[in-house]
Amino acid sequence: MTQFGVDLFLVLILASLGLSALAFFISIFRHRRNHPTATASPGSGEDFAAEAARKVLREFEKNGQSVDAALVTWSPDTLRKILADELPDAQVIVVSNREPYIHNETKDGGVELVVPASGLVSALEPITRACAGTWIAYGGGSADRTVVDGNDRVQVPPDNPSYTLRRVWLSEDEYQGYYLGFANEGLWPLCHIAFTRPIFRESDWEAYEAVNRKFAETVVAEARNERPIVLVQDYHFALLPRMIRERLPEAIVITFWHIPWPNSEVFSICPWRERILDGLLGSSIMGFHTQFHANNFTESVDRFMESRIERADAAVSYGGQVTLVHSYPISIEWPVELLKALPSVEECRARIRKRFDIPADAKLCVGVERLDYTKGILDRFHALEELFIRHPETIGKVVFLQIAAPSRGTLPAYKHLHEECLRYADELNERYGNETYQPVVLVPEHHAQKGVYEIYRAADICMVTSLHDGMNLVAKEFVASRDDEQGVLLLSTFAGASRELLEALIVNPYDAAMMSEAMLQALTMGPDEQHERMRRMREIVRDNNVYRWAGSMLLDAARLRKRSDLDRVTALYDRPTGPTGDNVVSIFERKQAVGFR
């Protein structure tokens, strides 16, 4: 470049800087003219708003996933720190149908404490403990009323009280209509691709609506102020978020839908589809296990509700409110506290084999779940028979132990499934068994969590072959139980866990031949390969544990709360008139789009 070119270049730079400085001083002059009482002194509202805006931009991360989240050790202490730093003085309220502790009367007139073997309970109980929160649930135990105080509360866990359990009482008619009727004969089959027709009754809907309102009143009664963090759980409470929002407009309501969400065509079957969507859109955050289910929900909203879908921000603007629609893959606690009280894998194996009379030279294959038509129990029996037909040398070399906790047994579909499972198990035992060998051991009984983990530790193979599932925590519990880094997991491609546990043997439960070959692969897999697969899956469950699941939602709740606080401050000042950054524009444009002016 010539000397003339260099001089010209420097002149242009100086001119540009001069114009920028002039524009800056003009903007300050105009602002002070329009707001003569406002000053930029330290600690003023303007200074606070500017700093708050910068903080929001720094902390705003898509879908609650921090770029360095994998570097964080997620634990109860992490959750407590999030609450202390990001949500100081926030009260956490959990709402679910199932309670984490059940009190039942014993035959001798005493009281027995039961901890249900539930994926939802195993995920949420450590969270509520860490947050010292309040858990609101239906009190269905025969001694539940005798142990609560005058406000229907009891401190739990009994050996180390960490949080409050608030019980809600339902009449038999309410329970039949709300739970067995609309929730489990209507919404459950609607949301699962298991080819069971949903049944919708007006009386069930009325009971469902009434029970949701009863729970909403309980939430309001338990809230210490107008700004609690409310974690609403599952398909039993689709109307609850809107009802809470009507009474506590400043609450952060996080609704987590634990089961799949169907596509909009299937969802259109429901006679009260708009009411359900309206109720759920009362949430500040709608959470699902997988992005696929979150997309299905958004498409249903787009099809049936007058709303604005903001796909770039994964949000829905409806009725003057924004609902974030995100995926948060649920998990279990890590490390599992229960393992400290369990014997070694070898001792668990000896106990289980003795209890169920399993031959010493037979591999043990287990399945553990509720007796439900979505879990694919009959399909496992088909696969076992296919294995024996295709590879007769395996007869006598494998025993399938199925723990099937009775569930919703008064409903026809569940009664029929129970009868089918018993019949098929008897047929397999008659066809392939003998006096010393039974290929199928079907145990239709409830098991405490400790007993379930003993079975996991004793198993050579665990089959999780759901026909359709949101996540399925049995798969993660099995992995967490195997600190010996042995055992093989067969996992359905239609369970959300298959998106994470890629080292499992992924199967299509509708394909009996494929499953039988996967079973053969598991039966013959060497210890070195088992170790490599299990080690990697344990790393995934460790890093993506339940504290990370809850922490991601709480961090998003904190961002929403800060954004709300920021909106109050910035309402006193002019909105930006130009593109000051994608996120800032998005925040203000979103408010304008839903009618906040």
Side-chain angles (χ1 to χ4, degrees):
M1 181 182 292
T2 64
Q3 184 61 41
F4 175 77
V6 172
D7 293 341
L8 181 60
F9 180 71
L10 292 174
V11 169
L12 289 173
I13 289 177
L14 291 173
S16 176
L17 291 174
L19 289 172
S20 298
L22 179 62
F24 174 76
F25 286 114
I26 290 174
S27 68
I28 292 177
F29 173 77
R30 286 179 175 174
H31 182 80
R32 289 182 174 175
R33 185 182 63 185
N34 293 335
H35 303 280
T37 59
T39 65
S41 59
S44 69
E46 182 180 347
D47 184 63
F48 171 82
E51 177 56 27
R54 286 192 292 270
K55 193 171 183 181
V56 166
L57 291 179
R58 286 195 300 268
E59 295 179 349
F60 186 81
E61 296 163 309
K62 179 65 68 181
N63 206 19
Q65 301 301 312
S66 171
V67 292
D68 60 349
L71 304 178
V72 176
T73 301
W74 292 90
S75 67
D77 289 339
T78 312
L79 284 188
R80 283 188 280 267
K81 182 170 177 55
I82 289 173
L83 288 169
D85 295 349
E86 306 295 335
L87 292 163
D89 303 321
Q91 178 191 13
V92 176
I93 300 175
V94 174
V95 185
S96 71
N97 174 75
R98 188 185 295 269
E99 56 183 338
Y101 296 93
I102 303 170
H103 291 90
N104 286 328
E105 296 176 355
T106 59
K107 293 180 180 179
D108 59 2
V111 175
E112 176 189 25
L113 180 70
V114 177
V115 180
S118 159
L120 182 146
V121 169
S122 64
L124 284 169
E125 210 272 337
I127 303 307
T128 319
R129 272 193 274 117
C131 298
T134 298
W135 189 319
I136 300 173
Y138 161 59
S142 56
D144 276 356
R145 288 180 183 268
T146 64
V147 300
V148 296
D149 62 17
N151 295 311
D152 298 325
R153 301 184 186 121
V154 60
Q155 299 301 309
V156 291
D159 56 340
N160 181 26
S162 306
Y163 66 93
T164 301
L165 173 57
R166 169 68 151 88
R167 286 170 169 152
V168 177
W169 315 116
L170 303 179
S171 68
E172 184 62 27
D173 287 343
E174 285 176 323
Y175 183 79
Q176 289 286 335
Y178 137 80
Y179 179 76
L180 293 176
F182 190 77
N184 288 305
E185 282 192 296
L187 288 179
W188 180 266
L190 179 73
C191 292
H192 288 87
I193 304 173
F195 308 106
T196 298
R197 176 174 174 164
I199 299 173
F200 295 109
R201 307 180 188 91
E202 181 76 29
S203 58
D204 291 344
W205 169 256
E206 291 171 355
Y208 185 84
E209 189 173 23
V211 170
N212 272 245
R213 193 161 297 283
K214 180 178 286 192
F215 271 83
E217 291 167 357
T218 306
V219 170
V220 173
E222 291 297 318
R224 294 194 295 264
N225 55 50
E226 296 182 350
R227 308 182 79 197
I229 308 293
V230 186
L231 305 178
V232 177
Q233 304 303 311
D234 226 353
Y235 61 103
H236 310 94
F237 299 112
L239 305 180
L240 185 58
R242 177 65 61 198
M243 293 174 175
I244 295 173
R245 179 74 54 206
E246 291 169 353
R247 300 283 298 277
L248 297 171
E250 294 187 36
I252 297 291
V253 181
I254 304 173
T255 301
F256 194 82
W257 196 264
H258 288 260
I259 63 177
W261 187 275
N263 64 46
S264 61
E265 188 71 18
V266 172
F267 184 69
S268 69
I269 294 171
C270 181
W272 299 280
R273 61 199 184 197
E274 288 87 0
R275 292 285 306 280
I276 288 173
L277 291 173
D278 175 80
L280 292 172
L281 289 174
S283 309
S284 312
I285 300 172
M286 266 302 296
F288 297 89
H289 290 301
T290 69
Q291 189 59 47
F292 183 74
H293 296 150
N295 293 344
N296 279 350
F297 174 80
T298 302
E299 289 170 8
S300 297
V301 172
D302 197 19
R303 179 171 176 180
F304 298 114
M305 309 298 285
E306 288 291 335
S307 60
R308 174 178 169 181
I309 309 299
E310 302 177 14
R311 300 188 187 278
D313 289 339
V316 175
S317 298
Y318 170 77
Q321 181 190 340
V322 176
T323 300
L324 304 183
V325 183
H326 289 171
S327 64
Y328 304 93
I330 200 172
S331 193
I332 61 174
E333 67 174 334
W334 185 282
V336 179
E337 288 295 317
L338 188 61
L339 288 181
K340 296 177 181 177
L342 289 178
S344 66
V345 168
E346 292 74 16
E347 190 172 344
C348 287
R349 182 169 295 164
R351 286 185 185 183
I352 296 302
R353 286 176 175 269
K354 182 178 180 180
R355 184 188 310 167
F356 296 107
D357 196 22
I358 297 168
D361 60 343
K363 292 290 185 74
L364 176 59
C365 181
V366 305
V368 180
E369 51 260 304
R370 290 184 304 103
L371 191 60
D372 191 285
Y373 53 78
T374 66
K375 301 302 182 183
I377 297 173
L378 286 172
D379 300 87
R380 289 173 210 166
F381 292 169
H382 284 296
L384 181 64
E385 183 170 25
E386 188 73 18
L387 175 69
F388 291 158
I389 292 171
R390 297 163 71 95
H391 303 281
E393 70 277 8
T394 61
I395 298 173
K397 301 299 183 184
V398 58
V399 172
F400 182 65
L401 170 62
Q402 177 64 60
I403 306 298
S407 175
R408 307 162 191 165
T410 60
L411 299 181
Y414 290 83
K415 290 171 66 176
H416 178 69
L417 174 67
H418 189 190
E419 294 166 358
E420 281 265 313
C421 287
L422 289 174
R423 179 188 59 78
Y424 203 170
D426 288 342
E427 287 180 3
L428 289 173
N429 286 334
E430 184 177 346
R431 192 174 304 142
Y432 299 104
N434 54 47
E435 293 180 356
T436 60
Y437 168 70
Q438 297 286 289
V440 177
V441 179
L442 177 61
V443 186
E445 299 173 1
H446 290 284
H447 278 64
Q449 200 73 355
K450 181 179 179 181
V452 167
Y453 270 84
E454 279 191 355
I455 292 169
Y456 291 148
R457 288 167 71 77
D460 296 293
I461 304 166
C462 180
M463 294 188 73
V464 179
T465 56
S466 310
L467 304 179
H468 200 197
D469 226 329
M471 175 55 66
N472 194 295
L473 294 182
V474 168
K476 295 188 176 184
E477 289 174 351
F478 172 69
V479 168
S481 75
R482 299 311 297 258
D483 49 10
D484 64 334
E485 297 186 343
Q486 292 294 295
V488 183
L489 174 63
L490 264 69
L491 180 57
S492 169
T493 187
F494 303 116
S498 67
R499 308 296 190 275
E500 296 182 66
L501 303 178
L502 302 179
E503 285 72 27
L505 300 183
I506 308 298
V507 297
N508 178 355
Y510 292 93
D511 188 342
M514 175 194 184
M515 278 217 290
S516 71
E517 293 302 316
M519 291 178 72
L520 182 65
Q521 182 182 352
L523 291 169
T524 57
M525 186 180 294
D528 290 343
E529 184 179 353
Q530 290 183 40
H531 166 77
E532 286 303 313
R533 289 175 178 269
M534 187 59 71
R535 180 185 60 80
R536 176 57 184 149
M537 289 191 290
R538 285 174 61 81
E539 288 174 356
I540 294 295
V541 177
R542 179 198 65 199
D543 295 342
N544 298 335
N545 61 35
V546 73
Y547 304 110
R548 181 174 182 174
W549 172 74
S552 297
M553 291 190 292
L554 291 175
L555 283 173
D556 279 349
R559 293 182 185 104
L560 288 178
R561 177 138 293 170
K562 290 175 184 178
R563 187 184 303 162
S564 177
D565 293 341
L566 177 62
D567 288 338
R568 291 192 183 92
V569 174
T570 54
L572 302 174
Y573 303 96
D574 289 339
R575 287 191 170 89
T577 58
T580 57
D582 291 344
N583 287 335
V584 171
V585 172
S586 176
I587 289 170
F588 287 107
E589 284 183 349
R590 182 180 304 126
K591 286 296 184 184
Q592 293 173 0
V594 297
F596 292 155
R597 297 186 182 278

